Amino acid sequence: MFSTAQIGIDLGTANILVYSKDKGIILNEPSVVALNTDTRAVLAIGIEAKAMVGKTPSHIVAVRPLRDGVIADFDVTASLLKEIMRKASKNMGLALRKPNVVVCAPTGSTSVERRAILDAVRSCGAKNVHIIEEPVAAAIGADLPVEEPTANVVVDIGGGTTEVAIISYGGVVSSKSVRVGGDKLDEAIIQYVRKTYNILIGERTAEQIKMEIGHAPIDHERMTMEVRGRDLVNGLPKTIELHSAEIQEAMSELLLQLLEALRATLEDCPPELSGDIVDRGVLLTGGGALLNGLQDWIADEIFVPVHVAANPLESVAIGTGRSLSFIDKLQKATV
């Protein structure tokens, strides 16, 4: 059975999520593709491909075709999207034929980058493709009243970028986008362990360290973790113990950049909306919002309430899918 489905896609640097109006989140896969470098054939995507990172023969590479929230490799992204649409179709129990798709893009993306996103989704057979800005999608997904003339401040901390936006009356009033996200924090941890201990660790290990003992620059109870890596002096495997204060130090510079983007956005806020921000506060979404102590640290620094979305990892995808009804209203209004 064929049906014109309406789906929303969160095309993230770390994960791709697909949302259906009828079934909610129907797919959540890492944005990773395993390629045979000799034939350029796609061997695996998503969870299977992520499990291969750092563990494959020389002719197989696990790559991320999306960097900093935009498409870095068009052909691989198109292959990834085709497979994602096939899986989504299977999960919905129907064949997706020419679906209507809303896909999100960073606020700072260029027209060329947005065109690449549109072309990649259209190449998968989509009938109509619309782009929505990530912070607006996150606000809709977190049940904020985006259509009302009140200020909603959203900080969406993704894998490749952090989007800060003040949203009012359905649009972005002021925004900043910085190329600081989960990936950069992982890189900072890898570099710290390399410089301090002469130990080389992989991306997956760094991500695990960040999630378990990573902490925002605020006082906290010391946590420790055993980490295995390769000794750069003798090339042998080695186990070391890391503590949370070290990881806090490694990530602090990047987190300060994130805070600076939030401050700069608030400085650009029209005076009429500033009162709303004092009352309503700031909403954190995205995987980075789950970092230990981040909510309390930001609240201490900017002196306004800070909230974390009920489901920060899925807010953008849910909002992207829900925005289909907004787009339908707009289309009807222009007919």
Side-chain angles (χ1 to χ4, degrees):
M1 175 189 169
F2 287 95
S3 170
T4 301
Q6 293 189 326
I7 60 173
I9 300 176
D10 175 8
L11 205 59
T13 306
N15 293 80
I16 289 185
L17 287 85
V18 180
Y19 178 91
S20 158
K21 203 158 60 172
D22 303 323
K23 296 196 173 185
I25 299 288
I26 53 172
L27 194 96
N28 184 350
E29 297 263 1
S31 311
V32 184
V33 180
L35 287 174
N36 184 322
T37 53
D38 298 333
T39 63
R40 296 293 290 173
V42 175
L43 304 177
I45 69 150
I47 295 167
E48 290 174 33
K50 189 172 183 181
M52 297 182 186
V53 172
K55 299 179 180 179
T56 56
S58 58
H59 68 285
I60 297 172
V61 291
V63 298
R64 282 184 169 181
L66 297 146
R67 283 282 167 192
D68 300 328
V70 293
I71 292 173
D73 188 319
F74 182 85
D75 293 334
V76 178
T77 302
S79 300
L80 173 64
L81 276 168
K82 277 175 187 162
E83 190 63 21
I84 289 289
M85 297 284 261
R86 187 189 66 77
K87 281 192 177 186
S89 173
K90 187 178 175 183
N91 291 352
M92 287 177 75
L94 53 83
L96 290 174
R97 185 175 67 177
K98 296 189 179 298
N100 293 320
V101 178
V102 177
V103 61
C104 62
T107 48
S109 57
T110 64
S111 58
V112 174
E113 289 167 339
R114 291 184 178 220
R115 175 60 57 188
I117 292 171
L118 288 170
D119 290 345
V121 178
R122 282 192 185 122
S123 73
C124 300
K127 183 181 179 184
N128 296 308
V129 186
H130 306 278
I131 283 185
I132 184 172
E133 290 178 317
E134 266 177 39
V136 177
I140 294 169
D143 294 320
L144 294 182
V146 293
E147 290 179 297
E148 293 176 15
T150 54
N152 299 284
V153 184
V154 176
V155 181
D156 179 30
I157 310 165
T161 57
T162 293
E163 307 277 329
V164 185
I166 299 170
I167 299 160
S168 177
Y169 215 62
V172 175
V173 177
S174 170
S175 71
K176 287 278 184 295
S177 178
V178 285
R179 300 279 163 109
V180 174
D183 291 349
K184 284 281 198 302
L185 295 173
D186 295 344
E187 281 174 31
I189 292 169
I190 291 170
Q191 292 305 319
Y192 177 84
V193 174
R194 183 175 188 149
K195 285 178 186 173
T196 310
Y197 295 97
N198 268 335
I199 300 289
L200 187 62
I201 59 172
E203 289 176 16
R204 292 182 68 192
T205 303
E207 186 180 25
Q208 199 175 356
I209 293 167
K210 176 185 70 184
M211 291 192 293
E212 287 193 25
I213 64 170
H215 216 285
I218 195 169
D219 291 340
H220 66 282
E221 193 176 326
R222 179 186 164 109
M223 298 177 284
T224 59
M225 178 180 176
E226 277 197 351
V227 175
R228 295 174 179 86
R230 190 178 83 225
D231 192 320
L232 290 168
V233 178
N234 57 27
L236 300 175
K238 188 175 179 181
T239 302
I240 57 169
E241 187 174 82
L242 294 175
H243 54 85
S244 52
E246 293 178 285
I247 306 307
Q248 184 183 48
E249 182 190 334
M251 298 191 300
S252 61
E253 189 178 328
L254 290 170
L255 291 173
L256 286 170
Q257 288 180 34
L258 185 156
L259 181 66
E260 194 52 45
L262 174 56
R263 279 187 173 142
T265 308
L266 294 175
E267 282 171 13
D268 289 343
C269 178
E272 293 292 341
L273 293 174
S274 293
D276 294 337
I277 296 170
V278 173
D279 294 334
R280 302 175 62 84
V282 172
L283 182 81
L284 304 181
T285 71
L290 299 171
L291 182 68
N292 298 320
L294 188 68
Q295 180 182 2
D296 295 336
W297 175 62
I298 293 177
D300 287 350
E301 293 290 334
I302 63 171
F303 309 109
V304 297
V306 176
H307 315 284
V308 176
N311 200 339
L313 289 163
E314 296 179 354
S315 290
V316 173
I318 293 168
T320 305
R322 285 182 184 168
S323 69
L324 284 160
S325 57
F326 292 86
I327 285 163
D328 286 344
K329 285 175 191 172
L330 289 172
Q331 286 177 332
K332 283 172 186 171
T334 55
V335 169

Short mmCIF file of all heavy atoms in Angstrom, two decimals, residues 283-332:
data_model
loop_
_atom_site.label_atom_id
_atom_site.label_comp_id
_atom_site.label_asym_id
_atom_site.label_seq_id
_atom_site.Cartn_x
_atom_site.Cartn_y
_atom_site.Cartn_z
N LEU A 283 15.72 27.81 27.50
CA LEU A 283 15.50 26.36 27.37
C LEU A 283 16.70 25.71 26.69
O LEU A 283 17.13 26.16 25.62
CB LEU A 283 14.24 26.09 26.55
CG LEU A 283 13.90 24.61 26.41
CD1 LEU A 283 13.17 24.10 27.64
CD2 LEU A 283 13.06 24.35 25.16
N LEU A 284 17.24 24.65 27.30
CA LEU A 284 18.35 23.89 26.71
C LEU A 284 17.80 22.65 26.03
O LEU A 284 17.01 21.90 26.62
CB LEU A 284 19.35 23.46 27.79
CG LEU A 284 19.98 24.55 28.66
CD1 LEU A 284 20.95 23.92 29.65
CD2 LEU A 284 20.70 25.60 27.81
N THR A 285 18.20 22.42 24.78
CA THR A 285 17.84 21.19 24.07
C THR A 285 19.08 20.62 23.39
O THR A 285 20.15 21.23 23.41
CB THR A 285 16.75 21.42 23.00
OG1 THR A 285 17.32 22.16 21.92
CG2 THR A 285 15.56 22.16 23.54
N GLY A 286 18.93 19.45 22.77
CA GLY A 286 20.06 18.79 22.13
C GLY A 286 20.80 17.90 23.12
O GLY A 286 20.65 18.05 24.34
N GLY A 287 21.60 16.98 22.59
CA GLY A 287 22.33 16.05 23.45
C GLY A 287 23.24 16.72 24.45
O GLY A 287 23.41 16.26 25.58
N GLY A 288 23.83 17.87 24.07
CA GLY A 288 24.74 18.59 24.96
C GLY A 288 24.07 19.12 26.21
O GLY A 288 24.73 19.39 27.22
N ALA A 289 22.73 19.27 26.16
CA ALA A 289 22.00 19.77 27.33
C ALA A 289 22.07 18.80 28.51
O ALA A 289 21.81 19.17 29.65
CB ALA A 289 20.53 20.02 26.96
N LEU A 290 22.45 17.54 28.23
CA LEU A 290 22.52 16.51 29.28
C LEU A 290 23.86 16.51 30.02
O LEU A 290 24.06 15.71 30.93
CB LEU A 290 22.27 15.13 28.66
CG LEU A 290 20.89 14.94 27.99
CD1 LEU A 290 20.85 13.63 27.23
CD2 LEU A 290 19.78 14.99 29.02
N LEU A 291 24.80 17.38 29.63
CA LEU A 291 26.10 17.43 30.30
C LEU A 291 25.91 17.78 31.78
O LEU A 291 25.16 18.69 32.13
CB LEU A 291 27.00 18.48 29.64
CG LEU A 291 28.41 18.63 30.21
CD1 LEU A 291 29.26 17.39 29.91
CD2 LEU A 291 29.10 19.88 29.65
N ASN A 292 26.59 17.04 32.63
CA ASN A 292 26.46 17.24 34.09
C ASN A 292 26.73 18.70 34.47
O ASN A 292 27.75 19.26 34.10
CB ASN A 292 27.47 16.35 34.84
CG ASN A 292 27.21 14.88 34.60
OD1 ASN A 292 26.08 14.44 34.56
ND2 ASN A 292 28.28 14.11 34.43
N GLY A 293 25.82 19.30 35.23
CA GLY A 293 26.03 20.63 35.80
C GLY A 293 25.82 21.79 34.85
O GLY A 293 25.94 22.95 35.26
N LEU A 294 25.51 21.52 33.57
CA LEU A 294 25.41 22.61 32.59
C LEU A 294 24.27 23.58 32.92
O LEU A 294 24.44 24.79 32.85
CB LEU A 294 25.23 22.03 31.18
CG LEU A 294 25.30 23.05 30.04
CD1 LEU A 294 26.72 23.61 29.91
CD2 LEU A 294 24.86 22.43 28.72
N GLN A 295 23.13 23.03 33.29
CA GLN A 295 21.96 23.87 33.60
C GLN A 295 22.26 24.84 34.74
O GLN A 295 22.01 26.05 34.63
CB GLN A 295 20.78 22.96 33.97
CG GLN A 295 19.51 23.71 34.30
CD GLN A 295 18.37 22.77 34.70
OE1 GLN A 295 18.54 21.56 34.76
NE2 GLN A 295 17.21 23.33 34.97
N ASP A 296 22.86 24.34 35.83
CA ASP A 296 23.16 25.20 36.99
C ASP A 296 24.22 26.24 36.65
O ASP A 296 24.13 27.39 37.08
CB ASP A 296 23.63 24.33 38.17
CG ASP A 296 22.53 23.40 38.68
OD1 ASP A 296 21.35 23.74 38.47
OD2 ASP A 296 22.85 22.36 39.28
N TRP A 297 25.24 25.83 35.88
CA TRP A 297 26.32 26.74 35.53
C TRP A 297 25.81 27.91 34.70
O TRP A 297 26.11 29.08 34.99
CB TRP A 297 27.41 25.98 34.76
CG TRP A 297 28.51 26.85 34.24
CD1 TRP A 297 29.37 27.61 34.98
CD2 TRP A 297 28.86 27.08 32.87
NE1 TRP A 297 30.25 28.29 34.15
CE2 TRP A 297 29.96 27.97 32.85
CE3 TRP A 297 28.38 26.59 31.66
CZ2 TRP A 297 30.56 28.40 31.68
CZ3 TRP A 297 28.98 27.02 30.48
CH2 TRP A 297 30.06 27.91 30.49
N ILE A 298 25.00 27.64 33.67
CA ILE A 298 24.48 28.72 32.82
C ILE A 298 23.57 29.64 33.63
O ILE A 298 23.62 30.86 33.50
CB ILE A 298 23.75 28.14 31.58
CG1 ILE A 298 24.76 27.45 30.66
CG2 ILE A 298 23.01 29.23 30.83
CD1 ILE A 298 24.14 26.77 29.45
N ALA A 299 22.74 29.05 34.50
CA ALA A 299 21.84 29.86 35.34
C ALA A 299 22.64 30.81 36.23
O ALA A 299 22.26 31.98 36.41
CB ALA A 299 20.95 28.95 36.18
N ASP A 300 23.76 30.33 36.78
CA ASP A 300 24.62 31.18 37.63
C ASP A 300 25.26 32.31 36.84
O ASP A 300 25.50 33.40 37.37
CB ASP A 300 25.72 30.33 38.28
CG ASP A 300 25.18 29.44 39.39
OD1 ASP A 300 24.01 29.62 39.77
OD2 ASP A 300 25.92 28.54 39.85
N GLU A 301 25.57 32.05 35.56
CA GLU A 301 26.31 33.02 34.75
C GLU A 301 25.42 34.12 34.17
O GLU A 301 25.87 35.25 33.99
CB GLU A 301 27.05 32.29 33.61
CG GLU A 301 28.18 31.37 34.08
CD GLU A 301 29.38 32.13 34.62
OE1 GLU A 301 29.58 33.29 34.21
OE2 GLU A 301 30.13 31.56 35.45
N ILE A 302 24.16 33.78 33.82
CA ILE A 302 23.32 34.79 33.14
C ILE A 302 22.17 35.30 34.01
O ILE A 302 21.41 36.17 33.57
CB ILE A 302 22.77 34.25 31.80
CG1 ILE A 302 21.84 33.04 32.02
CG2 ILE A 302 23.90 33.89 30.84
CD1 ILE A 302 21.11 32.59 30.77
N PHE A 303 22.04 34.77 35.24
CA PHE A 303 21.07 35.28 36.21
C PHE A 303 19.61 35.22 35.76
O PHE A 303 18.81 36.06 36.12
CB PHE A 303 21.42 36.73 36.63
CG PHE A 303 22.84 36.90 37.05
CD1 PHE A 303 23.74 37.59 36.25
CD2 PHE A 303 23.30 36.34 38.24
CE1 PHE A 303 25.07 37.74 36.64
CE2 PHE A 303 24.63 36.49 38.63
CZ PHE A 303 25.51 37.19 37.83
N VAL A 304 19.27 34.25 34.91
CA VAL A 304 17.87 34.01 34.57
C VAL A 304 17.61 32.51 34.70
O VAL A 304 18.56 31.72 34.67
CB VAL A 304 17.50 34.49 33.13
CG1 VAL A 304 17.66 35.98 32.99
CG2 VAL A 304 18.29 33.75 32.07
N PRO A 305 16.34 32.09 34.86
CA PRO A 305 16.07 30.65 35.00
C PRO A 305 16.50 29.87 33.75
O PRO A 305 16.39 30.38 32.63
CB PRO A 305 14.55 30.60 35.17
CG PRO A 305 14.12 31.98 35.50
CD PRO A 305 15.13 32.90 34.91
N VAL A 306 17.02 28.68 33.95
CA VAL A 306 17.42 27.81 32.84
C VAL A 306 16.71 26.47 33.00
O VAL A 306 16.73 25.87 34.07
CB VAL A 306 18.95 27.60 32.80
CG1 VAL A 306 19.33 26.62 31.69
CG2 VAL A 306 19.68 28.93 32.59
N HIS A 307 16.05 26.03 31.93
CA HIS A 307 15.32 24.76 31.96
C HIS A 307 15.90 23.82 30.90
O HIS A 307 16.41 24.27 29.88
CB HIS A 307 13.83 24.99 31.66
CG HIS A 307 13.24 26.14 32.41
ND1 HIS A 307 12.92 26.07 33.75
CD2 HIS A 307 12.93 27.41 32.02
CE1 HIS A 307 12.43 27.23 34.15
NE2 HIS A 307 12.43 28.07 33.11
N VAL A 308 15.78 22.52 31.15
CA VAL A 308 16.16 21.52 30.16
C VAL A 308 14.88 20.93 29.59
O VAL A 308 13.95 20.61 30.33
CB VAL A 308 17.04 20.41 30.78
CG1 VAL A 308 17.36 19.33 29.75
CG2 VAL A 308 18.34 21.00 31.33
N ALA A 309 14.82 20.79 28.27
CA ALA A 309 13.63 20.23 27.61
C ALA A 309 13.34 18.83 28.16
O ALA A 309 14.26 18.11 28.57
CB ALA A 309 13.84 20.17 26.10
N ALA A 310 12.07 18.46 28.15
CA ALA A 310 11.67 17.15 28.68
C ALA A 310 12.38 16.02 27.95
O ALA A 310 12.73 15.00 28.55
CB ALA A 310 10.15 17.00 28.55
N ASN A 311 12.59 16.17 26.65
CA ASN A 311 13.30 15.16 25.87
C ASN A 311 14.28 15.86 24.93
O ASN A 311 14.01 16.00 23.74
CB ASN A 311 12.28 14.32 25.07
CG ASN A 311 12.86 12.99 24.64
OD1 ASN A 311 14.08 12.84 24.57
ND2 ASN A 311 12.01 12.03 24.34
N PRO A 312 15.42 16.31 25.48
CA PRO A 312 16.31 17.16 24.69
C PRO A 312 16.86 16.53 23.41
O PRO A 312 17.06 17.21 22.41
CB PRO A 312 17.46 17.49 25.67
CG PRO A 312 17.37 16.48 26.75
CD PRO A 312 15.94 16.08 26.84
N LEU A 313 17.06 15.21 23.42
CA LEU A 313 17.62 14.55 22.24
C LEU A 313 16.63 14.52 21.07
O LEU A 313 17.04 14.46 19.91
CB LEU A 313 18.03 13.11 22.59
CG LEU A 313 19.27 12.98 23.48
CD1 LEU A 313 19.34 11.59 24.08
CD2 LEU A 313 20.53 13.27 22.70
N GLU A 314 15.33 14.54 21.38
CA GLU A 314 14.33 14.39 20.33
C GLU A 314 13.55 15.66 20.03
O GLU A 314 12.72 15.68 19.12
CB GLU A 314 13.35 13.26 20.71
CG GLU A 314 14.02 11.90 20.81
CD GLU A 314 13.05 10.80 21.22
OE1 GLU A 314 11.88 11.11 21.53
OE2 GLU A 314 13.46 9.62 21.26
N SER A 315 13.82 16.75 20.75
CA SER A 315 13.03 17.98 20.60
C SER A 315 13.00 18.50 19.17
O SER A 315 11.95 18.87 18.65
CB SER A 315 13.57 19.09 21.52
OG SER A 315 13.32 18.79 22.85
N VAL A 316 14.18 18.54 18.52
CA VAL A 316 14.26 19.08 17.16
C VAL A 316 13.46 18.22 16.19
O VAL A 316 12.69 18.73 15.36
CB VAL A 316 15.72 19.22 16.69
CG1 VAL A 316 15.79 19.62 15.22
CG2 VAL A 316 16.46 20.25 17.54
N ALA A 317 13.61 16.88 16.30
CA ALA A 317 12.89 15.98 15.40
C ALA A 317 11.38 16.09 15.59
O ALA A 317 10.62 16.16 14.61
CB ALA A 317 13.34 14.54 15.63
N ILE A 318 10.94 16.14 16.84
CA ILE A 318 9.50 16.26 17.13
C ILE A 318 8.97 17.58 16.58
O ILE A 318 7.92 17.63 15.93
CB ILE A 318 9.24 16.16 18.66
CG1 ILE A 318 9.56 14.74 19.15
CG2 ILE A 318 7.79 16.53 18.99
CD1 ILE A 318 9.61 14.59 20.67
N GLY A 319 9.72 18.67 16.81
CA GLY A 319 9.30 19.98 16.31
C GLY A 319 9.29 20.05 14.79
O GLY A 319 8.41 20.68 14.20
N THR A 320 10.26 19.37 14.16
CA THR A 320 10.31 19.35 12.70
C THR A 320 9.07 18.68 12.14
O THR A 320 8.45 19.17 11.19
CB THR A 320 11.58 18.59 12.22
OG1 THR A 320 12.73 19.18 12.82
CG2 THR A 320 11.73 18.66 10.73
N GLY A 321 8.68 17.57 12.77
CA GLY A 321 7.47 16.87 12.32
C GLY A 321 6.20 17.66 12.60
O GLY A 321 5.32 17.76 11.75
N ARG A 322 6.12 18.26 13.79
CA ARG A 322 4.92 19.04 14.15
C ARG A 322 4.78 20.28 13.27
O ARG A 322 3.66 20.76 13.05
CB ARG A 322 5.00 19.48 15.61
CG ARG A 322 4.71 18.36 16.60
CD ARG A 322 4.77 18.91 18.01
NE ARG A 322 4.59 17.86 19.00
CZ ARG A 322 4.82 18.02 20.30
NH1 ARG A 322 5.23 19.19 20.74
NH2 ARG A 322 4.64 17.03 21.14
N SER A 323 5.90 20.81 12.79
CA SER A 323 5.84 22.04 11.99
C SER A 323 5.13 21.81 10.66
O SER A 323 4.78 22.76 9.98
CB SER A 323 7.26 22.58 11.74
OG SER A 323 7.98 21.72 10.86
N LEU A 324 4.94 20.54 10.27
CA LEU A 324 4.20 20.25 9.03
C LEU A 324 2.82 20.90 9.05
O LEU A 324 2.35 21.41 8.04
CB LEU A 324 4.06 18.73 8.85
CG LEU A 324 5.32 17.99 8.39
CD1 LEU A 324 5.21 16.51 8.71
CD2 LEU A 324 5.56 18.20 6.91
N SER A 325 2.17 20.89 10.22
CA SER A 325 0.84 21.48 10.33
C SER A 325 0.91 23.00 10.15
O SER A 325 0.01 23.61 9.55
CB SER A 325 0.19 21.13 11.66
OG SER A 325 1.00 21.56 12.74
N PHE A 326 2.00 23.62 10.64
CA PHE A 326 2.17 25.06 10.46
C PHE A 326 2.35 25.39 8.98
O PHE A 326 1.80 26.34 8.46
CB PHE A 326 3.41 25.57 11.22
CG PHE A 326 3.28 25.51 12.71
CD1 PHE A 326 3.60 24.35 13.41
CD2 PHE A 326 2.87 26.60 13.45
CE1 PHE A 326 3.50 24.28 14.78
CE2 PHE A 326 2.76 26.55 14.82
CZ PHE A 326 3.07 25.39 15.49
N ILE A 327 3.16 24.54 8.32
CA ILE A 327 3.45 24.76 6.89
C ILE A 327 2.19 24.57 6.06
O ILE A 327 1.92 25.31 5.12
CB ILE A 327 4.61 23.85 6.43
CG1 ILE A 327 5.92 24.41 6.99
CG2 ILE A 327 4.69 23.75 4.91
CD1 ILE A 327 7.07 23.48 7.00
N ASP A 328 1.37 23.56 6.43
CA ASP A 328 0.09 23.35 5.74
C ASP A 328 -0.78 24.60 5.83
O ASP A 328 -1.39 25.03 4.86
CB ASP A 328 -0.67 22.15 6.33
CG ASP A 328 -0.03 20.83 5.93
OD1 ASP A 328 0.77 20.84 4.98
OD2 ASP A 328 -0.32 19.79 6.57
N LYS A 329 -0.82 25.21 7.04
CA LYS A 329 -1.63 26.42 7.24
C LYS A 329 -1.11 27.56 6.35
O LYS A 329 -1.89 28.28 5.74
CB LYS A 329 -1.57 26.86 8.70
CG LYS A 329 -2.41 25.99 9.65
CD LYS A 329 -2.19 26.45 11.08
CE LYS A 329 -2.78 25.44 12.06
NZ LYS A 329 -2.43 25.76 13.45
N LEU A 330 0.20 27.68 6.28
CA LEU A 330 0.80 28.73 5.46
C LEU A 330 0.45 28.54 3.99
O LEU A 330 0.14 29.48 3.28
CB LEU A 330 2.33 28.75 5.65
CG LEU A 330 2.85 29.24 7.00
CD1 LEU A 330 4.35 29.00 7.09
CD2 LEU A 330 2.56 30.73 7.17
N GLN A 331 0.54 27.26 3.55
CA GLN A 331 0.24 26.98 2.14
C GLN A 331 -1.22 27.27 1.80
O GLN A 331 -1.54 27.83 0.77
CB GLN A 331 0.57 25.51 1.82
CG GLN A 331 2.07 25.26 1.73
CD GLN A 331 2.39 23.80 1.50
OE1 GLN A 331 1.65 22.91 1.89
NE2 GLN A 331 3.53 23.55 0.87
N LYS A 332 -2.12 26.91 2.74
CA LYS A 332 -3.55 27.16 2.53
C LYS A 332 -3.82 28.68 2.47
O LYS A 332 -4.66 29.14 1.71
CB LYS A 332 -4.38 26.54 3.66
CG LYS A 332 -4.52 25.02 3.49
CD LYS A 332 -5.17 24.42 4.70
CE LYS A 332 -5.17 22.89 4.60
NZ LYS A 332 -5.60 22.26 5.85
#
